[in-house]
Amino acid sequence: MDEQALHEVFLAGIQETFRLQGQELKDIPYEFLAPLRRHLSVTGLTCIEPDLHNPDRCLMYARSIARDGLWQLTEFFGRPEVHGRGLGARLLAEVQANRDPAATAVILASGHPHAMALYMKAGVYARTPMYQFTGPPLPATGTLPEGLEACPAGPADVSELDAVDTAVLGFTRSADHRFLLEHGRPCLLLRRGSRPAGYGYLAGVAGCGPGAVVDPADMPALLQVLRAEPRGVVSVMLSGDSAGAIRELLAQGFRLRPYSSVLMSNRPLAVADRYLFWQPIFVL
């Protein structure tokens, strides 16, 4: 079954979630997510529940990725009419075939109650809400704190990006960094002397991120360099416990978007004031 058929299920599922939150979601073109879908399909595990009466029509699907010390459910969507039939529980069990019991398990949940109950049964629990903030870019006139420098990152710098991920998240995801860099997503690497201090991907069509800083005190500097790019409105996604970063964004005129997600994991993640989530929020 092709990715276009899965995209139709994704739209049906996410639109239902928006309706439950009292919101309306505009159409998301397939082309917008196609490169990311192909990447996750090649590097992950996809399980599909087809319509027995129409094999070309998908009823529900789930997709997961396994990285170095990380297992993540990246997609889990179904058509609203199939809820309550037990398909979700069976599909979720199948898509965990690549899950290492010792790995950190992560789900960036949309908040749908049926799905979240299944995640909790699988030992993955809600840790913090995730909020999206939007605001204007900054003029490229600010200076970084003494000893900190920002420089463009490329494929040769993946090991330094991995070092930051290890310090902040406890695992690496080299394949995802290579995907972003090879598809032209600009990334800035923060260094303090010879040591990597953080990184951040510049605003794409969906917003800034992912990004991370080893020291929470460097998050304002990371936000500063990401906002200095002349790309129109800047969007960032933060965990709800990122008090320092959220306070600064609100003081600078950023607005909180109405839609939120939930960071779920099988063990706590120390992401407060240290991490910017990937947008769109399929992958951590």
Side-chain angles (χ1 to χ4, degrees):
M1 191 170 295
D2 63 19
E3 288 292 324
Q4 182 72 58
L6 304 190
H7 184 73
E8 293 175 4
V9 178
F10 159 72
L11 282 180
I14 200 68
Q15 285 171 346
E16 181 193 25
T17 299
F18 267 69
R19 285 195 297 271
L20 290 174
Q21 296 187 2
Q23 302 176 58
E24 183 178 354
L25 175 69
K26 296 180 180 179
D27 184 43
I28 302 175
Y30 169 72
E31 294 75 16
F32 175 72
L33 294 174
L36 178 57
R37 284 189 176 282
R38 286 193 293 269
H39 167 64
L40 296 177
S41 174
V42 171
T43 62
L45 171 65
T46 305
C47 299
I48 298 171
E49 184 68 34
D51 187 337
L52 296 180
H53 303 290
N54 183 357
D56 294 327
R57 183 174 184 264
C58 178
L59 296 179
M60 181 177 287
Y61 78 98
R63 178 174 285 151
S64 64
I65 56 173
R67 303 295 189 245
D68 180 21
L70 165 71
W71 178 88
Q72 183 181 349
L73 180 69
T74 61
E75 296 155 77
F76 185 50
F77 294 101
R79 297 183 185 275
E81 64 268 21
V82 303
H83 289 163
R85 299 185 188 178
L87 299 181
R90 186 172 75 245
L91 210 57
L92 185 59
E94 291 179 9
V95 83
Q96 293 184 74
N98 60 345
R99 178 179 172 182
D100 181 346
T104 297
V106 172
I107 301 173
L108 307 181
S110 63
H112 194 289
H114 292 162
M116 290 189 68
L118 291 175
Y119 303 154
M120 293 176 188
K121 289 180 181 178
V124 183
Y125 300 98
R127 302 296 174 180
T128 178
M130 299 155 51
Y131 296 112
Q132 185 183 48
F133 297 84
T134 58
L138 279 175
T141 56
T143 57
L144 292 175
E146 184 177 356
L148 196 66
E149 63 173 349
C151 55
D157 301 307
V158 167
S159 62
E160 293 193 76
L161 304 179
D162 282 344
V164 175
D165 282 340
T166 299
V168 176
L169 301 173
F171 47 77
T172 62
R173 62 292 185 51
S174 306
D176 301 318
H177 284 302
R178 292 194 184 95
F179 163 76
L180 288 169
L181 294 169
E182 290 171 0
H183 280 76
R185 186 76 177 271
C187 178
L188 291 177
L189 178 63
L190 294 182
R191 286 195 180 101
R192 181 168 277 105
S194 60
R195 295 181 293 107
Y199 69 84
Y201 287 86
L202 303 180
V205 290
C208 296
V213 289
V214 177
D215 185 346
D218 290 331
M219 180 56 80
L222 177 61
L223 291 171
Q224 175 186 315
V225 296
L226 294 180
R227 292 181 60 196
E229 290 296 310
R231 293 168 179 262
V233 174
V234 174
S235 166
V236 295
M237 180 77 75
L238 293 160
S239 64
D241 53 358
S242 297
I246 290 174
R247 184 167 53 247
E248 179 165 333
L249 289 176
L250 292 175
Q252 294 179 8
F254 270 62
R255 294 188 177 185
L256 175 64
R257 297 292 301 272
Y259 179 73
S260 64
S261 301
V262 182
L263 171 62
M264 303 184 71
S265 62
N266 63 337
R267 58 176 64 99
L269 294 173
V271 296
D273 284 320
R274 302 176 76 196
Y275 193 72
L276 302 177
F277 292 92
W278 189 329
Q279 298 183 79
I281 51 172
F282 282 89
V283 185
L284 182 66

